[in-house]
Structures are given as structure tokens and as C-alpha cells.
């Protein structure tokens, strides 16, 4: 019998966990020929999430949980889940039922057809705030243009993968993880299926505008060095224009003699060049900060409690 691990990152999900377990259980009870295991990751929740998970673990034998020492973010939670998975197929899904468990059926079918991965794509973003939809769409447009990987708009982390692909994903041990990019970067044969956006069953989203914005910047810098190129090109252009202007001034002075006015243009240029320099430094800084964080090689997550038999932590000793 093939084993399927359901990896569920949870951060303050006390309101929805029971419903999630029941709904998902309903679906998998109707599927024969597979053995399912839940791997819940409590990402440093401040509410009763861990308590509920420990309750599950006592009541049901198909429940494993890993609880972090603090909130490390969904990326770290997914990484921990994948690292501690032992199944033939691994499925990552949200605890809030926004990733409909009934899709497990077509996903398993795709895996049996020979795909390495079956990823679900949100066909619509109905129900999401308009501003968020707008910026998310811009983000995907930009990231797909400038980066080496292809990230379809609407593709979340909701996907089923086989062992080979999961091993490849785990092998990418970068500390600042951006899974959408990683999934695409590792390649493998992926089948895409669509699903309608559903609203969160209970509780509220853990993302706000700035969190998403900074996540988007991480996504771009993790998979593209294009911003660095832009700043070199802009620098080159500014320097070239300055040089042409210099020659113009020399010739003008030689022909017409000295003239003093030019205060406004001087100040404007100084400010413009200063701004450009700061921007370039900022972009450079983003990448240096990334190198700094990677070089320190801090663990992606720290486990505080778990019922996994031989938990794999992430200490590079
Ligand atoms: N999540 C997590 N750690 C975090 C934030 C979120 O594990 O720091 C989990 C959360 O519990 C949920 C999933 O990631 O299962 C998606 O989060 P959310 O529903 O808040 O995001 P949205 O659906 O609004 O994109
Ligand atoms: Mg959600």
C-alpha cells in the first residue's frame, strides 16, 4: 500500500483544526489503497493549536505533529514537514480548508499517471481583497519576466509530490526559502489542475500587506539577479550622460567663456545622482543581507515538541 503524508502548517489555527481534520478525514476515508498520515506543524502558535494537536495525536494514530520553539514562518513549517515525511507521496495543504481536501483524489490519479507532481492552481482570486489581488498579479508578472524560474499566477504551495521531487526540494537547504520558486526550479513533470478560490473556514489570514510585500521582494531576490543588473545599467547610463554633458560644458566654455548660472541644474543633478547611488546601494544591500543570512547557516526551524519517532531537525552540526 502506498503511503501519503499530508503536511499541514498551522499558525494560530485553533478555530479551524477540528473542522479541518474532520473534513479531510471524510475525503480520505473514501479513498482505498493508500495509507494516509497527517503531519501537522505547529509554527509557534500562541493559541491552543498545540494543545489540539496533542489531543489529536492521543486520539488518532494517523496524526504526527511537530511543534516549533517559535514562529518561523510557513516556509520553514513546510520544510520541516517535508524533511520529516516518509511517504511515497507528500501533499502540502493549508489548515484553513482553503485548499479543498477533495482534490486529493484527482491529485493521486495524476501521480498514478506518472507525474512527479500535481499542483493546484487557483483559477480565481474571488474573495481576496482587491488590492492584494492587484499587487499579487503585478508580482507574478514581474517575477516571471526577470527570473530564471516560471511561477504561474495563482500557484500556491498546494501540491502533491513524489519522493524524488521532495528529496530535491529538501536538498535545497537555503535558509531563506521561497517554495514557489524552489518547486519550479527543481523541475520534474508537473500536472496542473484548477480550483475555485474558497474563503478561509474560520480564523483569519496571517498575512498583511507589508509581510506580503517583503515576501515578494524575497521571491525576486532569491531567484533573480536582475535588480543588480538594472542598477548597473542605470549607473552606466547616468555616467555616460554626465560625460556627454561635461564635454558640452567644456566646449561651451571654450567658445563663449565662463558663465556662472547653473545652480538649479547642479543641485538637481547632485540629488539625482545621490538618489541613484542610494538606490543601487539598497539593491546591493538586499543581496548582501541574503549572503549574510545564508552564510550564518542558522537552522530553518527548531523543534520544541513532537511525536515523530526520529525527528529530523535542521542543525548543521
Ligand atoms: N502559516 C504558518 N506560519 C505562518 C503563517 C501561516 O504555518 O507564519 C500557515 C497557516 O496556519 C495556514 C497557511 O500557512 O495553514 C496559510 O496561511 P493563511 O491562511 O494565513 O494565508 P492565506 O491563505 O491568507 O494566503
Ligand atoms: Mg488561508
Amino acid at each position: 500500500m502506498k503511503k501519503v503524508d499530508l503536511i499541514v502548517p498551522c499558525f494560530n489555527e485553533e478555530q479551524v483544526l477540528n473542522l479541518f481534520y474532520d473534513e479531510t478525514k471524510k475525503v480520505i476515508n473514501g479513498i482505498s489503497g493508500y495509507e494516509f498520515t497527517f503531519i501537522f506543524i505547529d509554527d509557534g502558535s500562541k493559541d491552543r493549536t498545540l494543545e489540539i494537536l496533542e489531543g489529536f495525536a492521543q486520539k488518532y494514530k494517523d496524526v504526527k505533529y511537530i511543534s516549533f520553539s517559535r514562529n518561523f514562518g510557513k516556509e520553514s513549517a513546510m520544510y520541516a514537514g517535508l524533511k520529516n515525511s516518509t511517504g511515497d507521496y507528500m501533499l502540502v495543504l493549508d489548515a484553513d480548508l482553503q485548499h479543498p481536501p477533495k482534490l486529493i483524489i484527482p491529485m493521486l490519479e495524476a501521480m498514478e499517471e506518472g507525474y512527479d507532481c500535481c499542483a493546484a492552481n487557483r483559477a480565481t482570486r474571488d474573495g481576496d481583497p482587491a488590492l492584494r489581488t492587484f499587487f499579487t498579479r503585478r508580482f507574478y508578472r514581474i517575477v516571471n519576466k526577470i527570473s530564471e524560474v516560471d511561477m504561474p499566477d495563482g500557484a500556491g504551495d498546494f501540491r502533491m509530490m513524489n519522493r524524488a521531487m521532495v528529496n530535491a526540494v529538501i536538498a535545497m537547504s537555503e535558509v531563506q526559502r521561497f517554495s514557489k520558486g524552489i518547486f519550479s526550479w527543481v523541475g520534474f513533470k508537473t500536472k496542473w489542475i484548477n480550483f475555485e478560490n474558497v474563503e478561509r473556514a474560520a480564523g483569519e489570514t496571517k498575512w498583511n500587506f507589508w509581510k506580503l510585500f517583503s515576501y515578494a521582494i524575497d521571491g525576486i531576490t532569491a531567484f533573480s539577479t536582475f535588480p543588480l543588473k538594472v542598477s548597473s545599467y542605470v549607473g552606466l547610463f547616468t555616467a555616460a550622460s554626465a560625460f556627454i554633458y561635461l564635454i558640452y560644458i567644456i566646449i561651451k566654455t571654450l567658445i563663449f567663456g565662463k558663465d556662472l548660472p547653473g545652480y538649479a541644474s547642479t543641485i538637481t543633478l547632485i540629488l539625482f545622482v545621490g538618489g541613484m547611488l542610494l538606490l543601487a546601494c539598497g539593491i546591493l544591500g538586499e543581496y548582501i543581507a541574503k549572503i549574510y543570512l545564508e552564510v550564518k547557516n542558522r537552522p530553518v526551524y527548531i523543534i520544541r515538541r513532537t511525536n515523530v519517532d526520529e525527528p529530523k531537525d535542521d542543525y548543521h552540526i
Side-chain angles (χ1 to χ4, degrees):
M1 203 148 54
K2 281 199 177 132
K3 282 182 61 192
V4 183
D5 286 336
L6 307 175
I7 295 165
V8 193
C10 314
F11 178 49
N12 295 342
E13 300 288 8
E14 62 176 5
Q15 295 184 44
V16 78
L17 274 175
N18 280 302
L19 187 67
F20 170 83
Y21 185 81
D22 294 343
E23 290 292 315
T24 312
K25 200 73 202 174
K26 251 186 241 162
V27 175
I28 58 183
N29 280 343
I31 305 174
S32 55
Y34 295 91
E35 191 186 319
F36 292 89
T37 310
F38 289 85
I39 305 179
F40 289 99
I41 294 94
D42 162 38
D43 184 11
S45 301
K46 296 224 156 49
D47 63 0
R48 289 180 47 253
T49 299
L50 177 59
E51 216 176 290
I52 298 172
L53 293 181
E54 285 180 323
F56 282 176
Q58 276 178 3
K59 261 194 286 179
Y60 316 114
K61 31 176 221 314
D62 60 351
V63 171
K64 300 270 174 224
Y65 72 89
I66 294 170
S67 177
F68 288 172
S69 62
R70 64 168 170 87
N71 178 247
F72 281 88
K74 186 185 175 190
E75 289 288 341
S76 308
M78 287 193 291
Y79 184 57
L82 291 173
K83 238 182 142 154
N84 284 283
S85 66
T86 52
D88 300 296
Y89 302 143
M90 270 52 66
L91 170 69
V92 181
L93 78 172
D94 285 359
D96 56 10
L97 289 171
Q98 278 190 302
H99 293 166
K102 63 173 193 289
L103 287 187
I104 294 176
I105 300 160
M107 283 180 168
L108 282 172
E109 276 166 16
M111 303 306 282
E112 296 309 338
E113 274 171 40
Y115 287 96
D116 304 300
C117 173
C118 181
N121 204 340
R122 276 203 295 183
T124 59
R125 289 181 179 275
D126 302 345
D128 269 16
L131 199 67
R132 176 168 167 179
T133 307
F134 175 80
F135 281 108
T136 318
R137 288 212 192 288
R138 292 288 94 67
F139 166 73
Y140 281 107
R141 284 270 294 273
I142 295 173
V143 90
N144 282 319
K145 272 224 174 81
I146 68 174
S147 74
E148 52 186 294
V149 295
D150 192 28
M151 299 181 215
D153 187 1
D157 309 309
F158 185 26
R159 61 177 67 218
M160 187 178 278
M161 290 168 276
N162 65 7
R163 196 72 253 166
M165 179 158 173
V166 167
N167 285 345
V169 170
I170 298 171
M172 299 188 65
S173 60
E174 53 223 69
V175 177
Q176 301 147 84
R177 306 185 67 76
F178 191 76
S179 291
K180 291 177 187 66
I182 293 176
F183 291 145
S184 157
W185 192 91
V186 296
F188 290 94
K189 226 172 113 193
T190 302
K191 178 170 183 173
W192 289 96
I193 55 178
N194 281 334
F195 73 102
E196 291 291 316
N197 202 22
V198 263
E199 288 197 32
R200 190 176 238 291
E204 50 192 49
T205 175
K206 311 297 178 295
W207 295 93
N208 60 34
F209 181 78
W210 288 112
K211 255 182 146 175
L212 275 173
F213 184 74
S214 120
Y215 188 59
I217 299 280
D218 283 347
I220 292 175
T221 49
F223 284 92
S224 166
T225 48
F226 183 77
L228 287 173
K229 279 194 200 119
V230 171
S231 75
S232 325
Y233 293 153
V234 171
L236 197 69
F237 175 77
T238 321
S241 326
F243 186 72
I244 294 168
Y245 190 53
L246 179 81
I247 294 186
Y248 163 75
I249 292 176
I250 292 176
I251 294 172
K252 200 173 132 196
T253 314
L254 286 178
I255 299 173
F256 298 105
K258 278 184 207 157
D259 67 339
L260 210 49
Y263 169 78
S265 59
T266 312
I267 291 293
T268 315
L269 274 175
I270 290 176
L271 287 179
F272 176 70
V273 173
M276 283 299 162
L277 280 174
L278 280 180
L279 181 70
C281 284
I283 294 173
L284 209 58
E286 281 288 326
Y287 285 92
I288 295 177
K290 282 228 134 66
I291 300 171
Y292 177 61
L293 289 172
E294 291 301 329
V295 163
K296 282 202 283 193
N297 216 355
R298 284 185 178 162
V300 176
Y301 59 89
I302 296 171
I303 299 178
R304 186 172 152 263
R305 290 169 83 104
T306 177
N307 69 340
V308 173
D309 291 337
E310 282 171 25
K312 292 201 184 75
D313 59 28
D314 188 43
Y315 307 132
H316 311 271
I317 309 172

